[in-house]
Amino acid sequence: MEKEFSKNLISRVPIALFMAAVIILALAYGNSLLIQIFISAITIFAALELLNFIGRSLFNIIFLLSALFGIVFLQENIKVLLAIFGLYLWLGTMIIMAFKQLHKLKKFMPYMMIIFLSIFLSSGILISTSQSLPISGNFLLFVVILNTALIDIGAYLSGNLFGKNKIFPLMSPNKTAEGVIGGSVLSIIFISSMFILNLIPQVVFLSILVSIPFTFVGDLFESYLKRVSDIKDSSSLLHGHGGFLDRIDSHLPAFTTVAGILFLLI
């Protein structure tokens, strides 16, 4: 098991570092338009992978792309409403998971994922472009992306090293309580440090803190979607990581819940 863990970790690290470098460069040197293009590109790749779940008919392709491109041109107030709606939608999904009733929605899950992807794109653009936020939108995106990545890393390492207690074996057999704790602790250390150093205000700190459990919901939702669809990875585009949808599953609720909470509070 140790050899398998080491091999899996080695296969993931180079891709993870490359993706992190691309994200950092895009956020550090890009203007809002470039950030929108970057988020849109990732979302489109993930949406095209979703065709593996719903079928590659011309109607499905046109429907997916139309839904995503339509999001880009929405006014800010509509994006705010979508973020708040997405927050409650993820909350509802969390409650359904907690009561182990998600299997009753398995026929609708691919279409729920389309909604989640659309709101993810809308929330990313909203954060990047809004002038109502207490800090730079691009910097906030950087913090949210980095925090979610740290959750994934902490959960992956602690789950593989110490994981014994499975939390939802029917949805995702590899997810453990130890992984959830490890990812959460690493995230809390990171955002607390950012807050103590006055890099983020209290309202942002609280918004990201509340988003932590939702990142695990996004991961579990996508894992169960693959399981009921009998698909191992959304694609093989990213060696060691599966596809784009596999990489952003935790980011989908992170973007949406942070945006939704912030615009409810400010």
Side-chain angles (χ1 to χ4, degrees):
M1 181 174 176
E2 289 181 3
K3 290 183 178 179
E4 182 181 352
F5 169 66
S6 299
K7 182 180 178 181
N8 199 5
L9 185 61
I10 291 170
S11 70
R12 284 171 174 261
V13 167
I15 295 292
L17 291 175
F18 173 76
M19 291 173 65
V22 171
I23 291 170
I24 290 171
L25 288 173
L27 292 173
Y29 298 104
N31 56 30
S32 294
L33 178 59
L34 291 178
I35 300 303
Q36 292 176 52
I37 293 172
F38 178 74
I39 297 173
S40 298
I42 292 175
T43 307
I44 289 171
F45 277 119
L48 291 176
E49 291 173 346
L50 196 55
L51 293 173
N52 294 329
F53 300 87
I54 63 176
R56 297 178 176 276
S57 69
L58 181 61
F59 171 80
N60 285 339
I61 294 173
I62 293 174
F63 172 72
L64 265 179
L65 295 179
S66 298
L68 295 177
F69 281 115
I71 288 291
V72 175
F73 299 103
L74 291 177
Q75 294 182 348
E76 181 172 317
N77 59 337
I78 304 299
K79 290 188 177 79
V80 170
L81 292 176
L82 272 178
I84 295 172
F85 168 72
L87 168 64
Y88 287 115
L89 189 60
W90 277 114
L91 179 60
T93 303
M94 178 188 288
I95 294 171
I96 291 171
M97 276 188 184
F99 285 96
K100 300 181 179 180
Q101 299 298 310
L102 191 60
H103 64 278
K104 294 182 179 180
L105 299 177
K106 62 184 180 181
K107 291 183 180 179
F108 306 101
M109 285 179 65
Y111 300 98
M112 290 174 66
M113 184 60 84
I114 294 174
I115 296 173
F116 288 142
L117 274 172
S118 299
I119 300 177
F120 162 78
L121 174 59
S122 173
S123 299
I125 294 173
L126 174 64
I127 293 172
S128 176
T129 58
S130 179
Q131 302 298 314
S132 304
L133 297 173
I135 61 173
S136 162
N138 288 342
F139 180 68
L140 176 56
L141 279 178
F142 169 73
V143 174
V144 172
I145 290 170
L146 182 55
N147 181 67
T148 308
L150 289 173
I151 293 173
D152 286 342
I153 292 169
Y156 178 76
L157 292 176
S158 58
N160 276 279
L161 293 172
F162 310 110
K164 292 182 180 179
N165 301 291
K166 299 185 183 300
I167 47 176
F168 291 103
L170 295 179
M171 285 194 289
S172 185
N174 296 324
K175 300 297 186 296
T176 64
E178 292 80 4
V180 171
I181 293 171
S184 300
V185 168
L186 190 58
S187 168
I188 291 171
I189 292 172
F190 169 66
I191 59 172
S192 297
S193 301
M194 298 288 285
F195 177 62
I196 291 170
L197 294 172
N198 291 320
L199 294 175
I200 57 174
Q202 185 179 39
V203 67
V204 171
F205 168 76
L206 292 174
S207 298
I208 298 176
L209 182 66
V210 173
S211 76
I212 293 174
F214 288 95
T215 63
F216 296 105
V217 174
D219 191 352
L220 284 166
F221 185 89
E222 199 254 355
S223 294
Y224 189 57
L225 174 60
K226 291 188 295 184
R227 190 171 182 80
V228 297
S229 303
D230 196 25
I231 294 175
K232 182 179 179 181
D233 293 315
S234 59
S235 76
S236 58
L237 290 175
L238 302 171
H239 177 65
H241 286 270
F244 283 89
L245 191 58
D246 298 316
R247 283 299 84 212
I248 66 170
D249 52 8
S250 300
H251 295 273
L252 299 182
F255 275 36
T256 302
T257 54
V258 168
I261 294 167
L262 275 177
F263 280 96
L264 279 174
L265 295 177
I266 61 176

